[in-house]
């Protein structure tokens, strides 16, 4: 009887084993199924929706079916306008850039004199930018990988121009700190898959793009003038027929098949041009908030004999903005600082604050300010060694300073326009969305807009021509790609009590996103896949949904 009971007990365990086996197999299949669905969704839905990576391969390729119109007019010849003109040259018979400032529109294609220096009453050499309409012209810049990717597509021979200026693209291996947390570097400088950047100043980058436009896009011309208003078509009131321009030689009308507003933070279409052309009913909501961000930067010119010494202090392979420390908002800290190395001779240190008034100009002031910032004790040694070097060679390294206020941030919701916009017009870059410049995404945003518009142009044939709903197509496609940048910078800006939020919002808006971001940053200091995903999303080469990968979220939750 005992053996029978033992046998029965053994048999009773068999279904249990079978149930566990089934459960395990089901769980594995479910995981593989979900993983497969996520991969498919990423490839066919999220990457096309949130990034330009699927549109980039066709950028800069010739149309085979003819052009979409006779002439495109670009209002503004700064970064967005130059990229837009280069792109439009593949879709229109001719392109004209109308730019008010001589320094931008006189075909300046050599290394620029970006500023003048004046000694002010306080004894400091202050820089006066020659591009007075571009607030960030002298500020330290970060040109994220999509900028160089787009340039290589638009200008396949641009390496000759890089060589002309003595520029070499370098791996983007920025050393980024968030308070006391340093993200593990997602790539090694020797990794062939590491995205590249151009370690140059804003002034030289703009000159490089202008040089490439002038050299390789023969159907693009420049006009020195100021667009005064849009001209509405008498034949087709849904369209614009051209723009009215004030030039040194007098007023004139420039006819256009297509018009792009690249007027930057002036946002002239919204503030003036659309109203003057009778499209005031189409104006959507503009969201504005004020982060009260002030910053000061000092730039030292390092003489040739001292360059080897300063470069020994900069970590190998790092150029451009090679170090930054953004504040950990949870500690109450509101200050950030950057170190940059440009043009093989310029060392820049920038210090900014949300709602603060500190503007350190001397080396002792900088050392004191940086030491007082939360987490400074965790800075790498070169942060202090560079200050020591500059102090030691102060007489040999002249420097100038530049103070600025970032002003209001704004986002015009053209994708929600209440009425029809002109069918042959769009606005790009800062003319639609102005981001907080401290995050270094402004030029990248303009590139996103240009590549997105190129994709719209390529979706129609020359026989079809420009569709009547082109603005709507563009702004709707653009919205999720740029909204990631808008919300991703607005959320941390709102963490400071001094930030004046947009109408209808409070500083609590974006709190969940801030907390999740901070948690991911903390987890990313040791986890390479998480750091790489964070880096790729921040660099606009991957969709933000990558950060919601269940495997990554599990690591964050641990």
């Amino acid at each position: 009887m005992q053996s029978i009971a033992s046998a029965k007990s053994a048999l009773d365990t068999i279904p249990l084993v079978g149930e566990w086996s089934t459960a395990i197999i089901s769980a594995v299949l479910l995981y593989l199924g979900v993983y497969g669905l996520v991969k498919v969704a990423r490839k066919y839905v999220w990457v096309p929706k949130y990034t330009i990576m699927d549109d980039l391969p066709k950028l800069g390729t010739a149309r085979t079916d003819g052009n979409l119109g006779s002439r495109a007019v670009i209002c503004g010849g700064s970064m967005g306008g130059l990229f837009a003109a280069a792109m439009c040259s593949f879709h229109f018979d001719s392109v004209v850039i109308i730019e008010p400032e001589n320094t931008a529109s006189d075909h300046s294609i050599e290394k620029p004199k970006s500023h003048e220096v004046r000694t002010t009453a306080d004894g400091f050499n202050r820089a006066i930018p020659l591009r007075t309409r571009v607030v960030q012209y002298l500020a330290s810049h970060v040109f994220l990988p999509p900028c160089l990717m787009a340039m290589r597509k638009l200008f396949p021979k641009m390496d000759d121009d890089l060589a002309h200026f003595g520029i070499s693209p370098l791996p983007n291996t920025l050393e980024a700190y968030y308070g006391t947390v340093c993200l593990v570097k997602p790539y090694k400088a020797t990794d062939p898959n590491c995205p590249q950047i151009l370690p140059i100043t804003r002034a030289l980058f703009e000159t490089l793009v202008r040089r490439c436009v002038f050299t390789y896009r023969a159907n693009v011309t420049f006009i020195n003038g100021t667009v005064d208003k849009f001209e509405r078509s008498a034949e087709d009131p849904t369209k614009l027929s051209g723009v009215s321009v004030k030039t040194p030689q007098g007023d004139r009308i420039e006819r256009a098949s297509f018009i792009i507003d690249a007027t930057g933070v002036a946002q002239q279409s919204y503030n003036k041009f659309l109203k003057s052309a009778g499209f005031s009913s189409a104006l959507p909501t503009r969201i504005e908030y004020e982060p009260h961000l002030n910053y000061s930067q000092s730039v030292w010119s390092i003489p040739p004999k001292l360059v080897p010494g300063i470069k020994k202090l900069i970590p190998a392979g790092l150029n451009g903005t090679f170090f930054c420390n953004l504040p950990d908002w949870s500690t109450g800290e509101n200050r950030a600082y950057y170190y940059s190395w440009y043009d093989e001779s310029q060392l820049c240190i920038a210090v900014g604050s949300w709602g603060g008034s500190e503007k350190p100009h001397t080396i002792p002031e900088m050392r004191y300010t940086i030491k007082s910032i939360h987490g400074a004790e965790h800075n790498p040694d070169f942060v202090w060694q560079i200050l020591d070097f500059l102090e030691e060679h102060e007489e040999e390294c002249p420097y100038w300073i530049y103070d600025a206020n970032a002003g209001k941030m704004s986002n015009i919701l053209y994708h929600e326009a209440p009425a029809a916009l002109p069918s042959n017009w769009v606005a790009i870059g800062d003319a639609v969305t102005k981001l907080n410049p401290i995050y270094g995404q402004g030029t990248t945003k303009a590139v996103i807009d240009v590549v997105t518009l190129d994709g719209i142009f390529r979706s129609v044939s020359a026989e079809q021509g420009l569709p009547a709903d082109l603005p709507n197509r563009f702004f709707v496609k653009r919205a999720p790609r740029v909204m990631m940048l808008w919300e991703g910078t607005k959320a941390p800006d709102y963490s400071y009590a001094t930030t004046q939020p947009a109408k209808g919002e409070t500083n609590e808006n974006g709190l969940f996103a801030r907390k999740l971001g901070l948690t991911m940053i903390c987890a990313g200091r040791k986890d390479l896949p998480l750091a790489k995903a964070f880096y790729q999303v921040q660099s606009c080469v991957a969709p933000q949904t990558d950060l919601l990968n269940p495997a990554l979220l599990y690591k964050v939750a641990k």
Side-chain angles (χ1 to χ4, degrees):
M1 292 294 294
Q2 186 175 1
S3 61
I4 294 174
S6 299
K8 185 176 184 301
S9 177
L11 287 171
D12 286 343
T13 64
I14 293 176
L16 182 62
V17 173
E19 289 171 9
W20 275 107
S21 299
T22 301
I24 292 172
I25 293 172
S26 298
V28 170
L29 291 175
L30 179 62
Y31 173 79
L32 292 175
V34 171
Y35 178 73
L37 285 173
V38 168
K39 286 190 68 175
V40 170
R42 185 186 191 278
K43 180 176 181 180
Y44 294 105
V45 179
W46 299 331
V47 168
K49 181 175 181 179
Y50 295 113
T51 79
I52 58 173
M53 302 312 291
D54 279 5
D55 290 329
L56 264 174
K58 293 182 180 179
L59 181 69
T61 58
R63 296 184 68 95
T64 58
D65 62 341
N67 288 330
L68 295 175
S70 59
R71 196 183 199 208
V73 170
I74 316 296
C75 306
S78 192
M79 299 303 308
L82 291 168
F83 273 106
M87 179 274 292
C88 283
S89 70
F90 292 93
H91 300 284
F92 296 88
D93 298 339
S94 66
V95 182
V96 61
I97 299 173
I98 303 172
E99 166 58 42
E101 294 189 276
N102 269 323
T103 53
S105 60
D106 64 357
H107 295 177
S108 175
I109 57 176
E110 294 300 332
K111 195 168 184 177
K113 179 184 177 183
S114 62
H115 63 279
E116 295 177 348
V117 175
R118 300 175 188 170
T119 303
T120 51
D122 56 9
F124 291 109
N125 293 326
R126 294 185 180 271
I128 310 299
L130 298 183
R131 293 279 273 119
T132 57
R133 293 170 180 257
V134 182
V135 176
Q136 306 300 324
Y137 194 63
L138 295 181
S140 177
H141 273 65
V142 176
F143 300 107
L144 296 176
C147 298
L148 183 57
M149 293 176 182
M151 286 195 70
R152 289 201 181 283
K153 297 298 295 183
L154 290 169
F155 314 113
K157 296 182 180 180
M158 67 169 286
D159 282 343
D160 294 340
D161 300 278
L162 292 177
H164 175 79
F165 289 119
I167 304 169
S168 297
L170 294 170
N172 184 20
T173 53
L174 168 70
E175 191 142 336
Y177 278 67
Y178 295 84
T180 61
V181 177
C182 178
L183 284 176
V184 61
K185 289 185 180 179
Y187 296 98
K188 294 182 179 179
T190 55
D191 187 341
N193 295 316
C194 180
Q196 291 186 318
I197 59 169
L198 292 175
I200 55 179
T201 59
R202 165 67 163 74
L204 184 53
F205 188 84
E206 183 178 307
T207 301
L208 172 66
V209 181
R210 188 183 302 109
R211 179 184 179 88
C212 288
V213 170
F214 183 66
T215 304
Y216 304 116
R217 306 266 54 91
N219 61 340
V220 178
T221 57
F222 296 77
I223 293 177
N224 178 208
T226 302
V227 175
D228 182 51
K229 63 180 179 178
F230 289 160
E231 298 288 334
R232 193 165 188 167
S233 172
E235 298 176 358
D236 183 353
T238 67
K239 294 183 177 181
L240 301 172
S241 59
V243 299
S244 174
V245 186
K246 293 184 178 297
T247 74
Q249 295 75 36
D251 296 353
R252 59 200 276 189
I253 301 295
E254 293 294 332
R255 299 299 174 188
S257 305
F258 193 77
I259 297 172
I260 296 179
D261 177 1
T263 57
V265 296
Q267 299 181 339
Q268 290 285 43
S269 283
Y270 188 88
N271 290 327
K272 180 180 178 183
F273 296 159
L274 290 176
K275 296 175 186 176
S276 67
F279 287 93
S280 56
S281 63
L283 294 179
T285 301
R286 175 167 58 188
I287 301 173
E288 293 182 313
Y289 74 94
E290 172 65 88
H292 294 289
L293 176 72
N294 298 292
Y295 63 88
S296 177
Q297 72 172 27
S298 300
V299 179
W300 285 264
S301 295
I302 310 299
K305 67 177 182 179
L306 294 180
V307 167
I310 196 77
K311 292 198 73 172
K312 284 182 181 179
L313 303 178
I314 300 173
L318 297 187
N319 276 272
T321 298
F322 60 88
F323 173 80
C324 75
N325 192 318
L326 291 168
D328 175 354
W329 59 270
S330 67
T331 65
E333 182 59 71
N334 67 333
R335 294 167 294 175
Y337 50 102
Y338 290 73
Y339 279 43
S340 307
W341 174 252
Y342 291 120
D343 302 348
E344 290 301 313
S345 65
Q346 305 292 308
L347 193 283
C348 169
I349 300 177
V351 180
S353 63
W354 284 259
S357 58
E358 286 181 281
K359 292 180 180 178
H361 295 143
T362 67
I363 295 172
E365 286 174 348
M366 287 185 180
R367 185 182 286 109
Y368 176 82
T369 298
I370 293 174
K371 277 188 175 182
S372 69
I373 293 175
H374 178 80
E377 66 275 14
H378 297 280
N379 280 340
D381 291 340
F382 65 75
V383 168
W384 314 114
Q385 292 168 351
I386 287 173
L387 289 174
D388 293 340
F389 181 93
L390 293 173
E391 194 166 46
E392 180 183 351
H393 299 283
E394 192 169 7
E395 296 298 323
E396 302 166 273
C397 301
Y399 77 101
W400 51 265
I401 62 175
Y402 179 67
D403 296 335
N405 179 284
K408 290 183 178 180
M409 307 303 121
S410 60
N411 188 28
I412 303 173
L413 307 182
Y414 280 118
H415 61 290
E416 297 179 0
L421 295 161
S423 62
N424 60 338
W425 160 93
V426 297
I428 64 169
D430 285 349
V432 187
T433 306
K434 181 189 175 186
L435 302 173
N436 189 334
I438 202 167
Y439 301 108
Q441 298 168 323
T443 302
T444 304
K445 172 198 62 200
V447 167
I448 290 172
D449 286 349
V450 169
V451 176
T452 299
L453 183 58
D454 181 72
I456 300 294
F457 284 157
R458 294 184 185 280
S459 70
V460 297
S461 66
E463 184 178 356
Q464 291 172 313
L466 297 172
D469 65 342
L470 187 147
N472 180 258
R473 291 192 196 184
F474 167 70
F475 288 118
V476 167
K477 187 175 182 180
R478 170 194 188 273
R481 296 176 174 185
V482 175
M483 198 61 72
M484 174 183 73
L485 303 179
W486 171 254
E487 295 295 342
T489 54
K490 182 160 71 83
D493 283 346
Y494 274 29
S495 63
Y496 307 106
T498 53
T499 295
Q500 182 180 342
K503 184 179 180 180
E505 297 184 344
T506 71
N507 292 84
E508 293 298 307
N509 285 82
L511 180 60
F512 174 77
R514 290 198 290 274
K515 289 183 176 180
L516 179 60
L518 185 59
T519 304
M520 285 186 166
I521 289 170
C522 291
R525 60 184 167 184
K526 296 181 179 179
D527 189 276
L528 181 60
L530 180 56
K532 184 171 289 189
F534 193 82
Y535 165 87
Q536 290 175 337
V537 170
Q538 291 292 97
S539 297
C540 304
V541 297
Q544 62 264 47
T545 49
D546 280 8
L547 296 176
L548 301 179
N549 183 302
L552 295 182
L553 289 177
Y554 173 73
K555 293 178 180 179
V556 171
K558 285 199 303 182

